[in-house]
């Protein structure tokens, strides 16, 4: 049984901040690279940020660099996405995901992730 549960979404004004959390249900959580994706209405699901199992290496989409920070607490089986300086264009359903792939490259496509949460809505008003 594997489960990912996101929380922390909500409504925020432009320029504000939110922190999303994703709790994993398995004790081997620290072994899996994690990613955050988002999907706006009518658009494809897009990669936002990724983090390797050690937590020491991260990767961000150009659209969020300098504003978002991904981190993980393996002791709590939780990955976070700190979102600052939010813009209306950040409005989307945000999903956390885990991959069992072991390659050294970054996985930027949704089909490369086998485990997904149900998503949490983030709405940024102007």
């Amino acid at each position: 049984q594997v489960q990912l549960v996101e929380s922390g979404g909500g409504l925020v004004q432009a320029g504000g901040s939110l922190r999303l959390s994703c709790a994993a249900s398995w004790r081997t959580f620290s072994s899996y690279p994690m990613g955050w994706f988002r999907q706006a209405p009518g658009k494809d699901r897009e990669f936002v940020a990724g983090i390797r199992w050690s937590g020491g290496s991260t990767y961000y989409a150009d659209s969020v660099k300098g504003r978002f920070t991904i981190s993980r607490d393996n002791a709590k089986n939780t990955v976070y996405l700190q979102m600052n300086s939010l813009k209306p264009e950040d409005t989307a359903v945000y999903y956390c995901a885990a991959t069992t792939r072991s390659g050294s490259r970054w996985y930027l496509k949704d089909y490369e992730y086998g485990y997904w949460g149900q998503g949490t809505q983030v709405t940024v008003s102007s």
Side-chain angles (χ1 to χ4, degrees), residues 18-20 36 48-51 58-60 64-72 79-84:
L18 286 173
R19 189 181 74 161
L20 306 183
W36 284 95
V48 175
I51 187 166
T58 58
Y59 188 83
Y60 299 92
V64 305
K65 284 181 179 178
R67 300 189 298 120
F68 290 11
T69 302
I70 187 172
S71 61
R72 66 193 300 165
V79 63
Y80 304 95
L81 185 68
Q82 178 67 46
M83 305 184 294
N84 298 326

Side-chain angles (χ1 to χ4, degrees), residues 59-103:
Y59 188 83
Y60 299 92
D62 289 341
S63 59
V64 305
K65 284 181 179 178
R67 300 189 298 120
F68 290 11
T69 302
I70 187 172
S71 61
R72 66 193 300 165
D73 185 341
N74 290 335
K76 297 182 178 180
N77 286 358
T78 302
V79 63
Y80 304 95
L81 185 68
Q82 178 67 46
M83 305 184 294
N84 298 326
S85 301
L86 283 162
K87 305 174 181 179
E89 64 197 61
D90 295 319
T91 295
V93 177
Y94 284 71
Y95 300 88
C96 66
T99 179
T100 58
R101 299 184 182 223
S102 59

Side-chain angles (χ1 to χ4, degrees), residues 6-7 19 21 29 46 70 74 79 82 109-110 119 122:
E6 301 98 334
S7 62
R19 189 181 74 161
S21 299
F29 168 80
E46 65 173 342
I70 187 172
N74 290 335
V79 63
Q82 178 67 46
K109 301 296 184 181
D110 55 1
V122 172

